[in-house]
Amino acid sequence: MAERIAGPEIERLIQLLARLPGLGPRSARRVALHLMRKREELLGPLSEAMRVAYERIVTCSRCGNIDTSDPCAICVDTRRDASTLIVVETVADLWALERAQPFRALYHVLGGVLSPLDGVGPDDLNLPKLIERAQSGDIREVILAVNATVDGQTTAHYIADLLVPTGVKTTRLAHGVPVGGELDYLDEGTLAAALERRTAL
Amino acid sequence: MAERIAGPEIERLIQLLARLPGLGPRSARRVALHLMRKREELLGPLSEAMRVAYERIVTCSRCGNIDTSDPCAICVDTRRDASTLIVVETVADLWALERAQPFRALYHVLGGVLSPLDGVGPDDLNLPKLIERAQSGDIREVILAVNATVDGQTTAHYIADLLVPTGVKTTRLAHGVPVGGELDYLDEGTLAAALERRTAL
């Protein structure tokens, strides 16, 4: 806003809201107005929930997940198969897999992938703890659930090599046609992989 | 999420974020992850900005605007033309006009429009204070900047009739505003033109 039309506190709120993913200056104003109209039902509770999250979130020292306890809720869940470790790039990927999942395993969050162009090397990833966990004797399989990008696949191969001495079985996600996907819209690499790894009906 | 994959504090944060306009469950999770990754730069400051807004926002007893002071920043702005009052339905409309504006006047926020179908009658709007302001002798013109909807135009005529005894000139926005359109969604150019070409009722 060119001129001040509301107190600086409201303008600061709008500026911060505009930095959320998916929001711009216009939608940030709409969100701010909505919050102010729903002061008791939404603004108050959300402000409090953010404060609590700010104070309590920690990175799990075991797996690298973000949660309000350390170890995180997943690491201490005794109903999970503790012999299988799913390696993911980010907490977002962990959440995506958990939503998908018929598979109750443990996780390990790398915090990124190897990317020489972006200056991300092995020391920037949560790797020493992964080796440590693989060596502990509790793990029988490590599933490398990294993105199917060049950097992701490079990282998968790098980790697979690192894990060879531990003797733990290392697998990666299958390549193929997404469920519900239309062939016409898929790239050649995916189609070639899907053809090559075709399965019997 | 079917099973608990994060502490209840994080799930509560996601649930509340999903209630913001324009966000759904999936984007709320993305926003929550973004906030947790940017704990110091964004989550902390935004939590604090919301707390401050929650504690300080008040409805201006003079014009019905929402701000952190009463009277609001607009009502106490001495550089404005205090003889012209722009009547709007909502604070969102006030903000939209302020963004457009070559026009530094005062405002009056109705808090809605007459709508028999929704059970909104004259008593539900901020009308007595509008009459009082019009009678004070300070106001020379009241611009009815209500939406160009049926309810908005009905409200404009109702208010124009109410204001006849005060002798104050009553105008409304020019029909540069598309019929059926809502102010909050219009571009600045259209709003500025509509203000400039206002016509006598």
Side-chain angles (χ1 to χ4, degrees), chain B residues 30-118:
Chain B
R30 200 167 64 235
V31 167
L33 277 168
H34 186 80
L35 285 170
M36 294 194 293
R37 264 198 305 265
K38 310 238 170 213
R39 182 173 176 273
E40 293 306 324
E41 313 95 283
L42 194 54
L43 177 54
L46 184 56
S47 148
E48 178 63 11
M50 283 195 181
R51 186 189 63 75
V52 170
Y54 174 74
E55 282 173 6
R56 303 218 187 134
I57 56 168
V58 283
T59 299
C60 176
S61 57
R62 206 174 291 181
C63 75
N65 187 16
I66 294 177
D67 202 348
T68 47
S69 55
D70 181 15
C72 71
I74 290 177
C75 281
V76 298
D77 183 349
T78 53
R79 295 161 308 173
R80 287 172 185 264
D81 168 14
S83 70
T84 305
L85 211 56
I86 304 180
V87 174
V88 291
E89 294 178 23
T90 64
V91 176
D93 293 339
L94 185 162
W95 286 15
L97 284 168
E98 277 293 304
R99 290 199 298 280
Q101 275 263 27
F103 218 103
R104 306 247 140 249
L106 297 183
Y107 287 89
H108 196 82
V109 181
L110 293 175
V113 277
L114 297 176
S115 177
L117 281 177
D118 298 328

Side-chain angles (χ1 to χ4, degrees), chain A residues 7 9 29 39 54 67-68, chain B residues 7 9 39 54 67-68 99:
Chain A
E9 301 89 345
R29 279 192 296 263
R39 181 174 177 273
Y54 174 74
D67 202 349
T68 47
Chain B
E9 300 91 345
R39 182 173 176 273
Y54 174 74
D67 202 348
T68 47
R99 290 199 298 280

Side-chain angles (χ1 to χ4, degrees), chain B residues 122 127-128 130-131 135 156-166:
Chain B
L127 287 174
L130 174 61
I131 307 300
Q135 284 171 335
H157 283 285
Y158 181 85
I159 294 175
D161 288 345
L162 275 185
L163 292 177
V164 167
T166 67

Side-chain angles (χ1 to χ4, degrees), chain A residues 147-149 153 172-198:
Chain A
N147 287 334
T149 55
Q153 295 308 301
R172 67 172 180 187
L173 296 183
H175 280 308
V177 178
V179 174
E182 294 185 42
L183 297 191
D184 203 16
Y185 291 93
L186 287 177
D187 64 294
E188 286 96 291
T190 305
L191 286 172
L195 260 178
E196 202 181 336
R197 287 159 210 170
R198 65 193 180 276

Side-chain angles (χ1 to χ4, degrees), chain A residues 153-177:
Chain A
Q153 295 308 301
T154 306
T155 309
H157 283 287
Y158 181 86
I159 294 175
D161 287 345
L162 274 185
L163 292 176
V164 167
T166 67
V168 169
K169 182 179 168 193
T170 310
T171 57
R172 67 172 180 187
L173 296 183
H175 280 308
V177 178

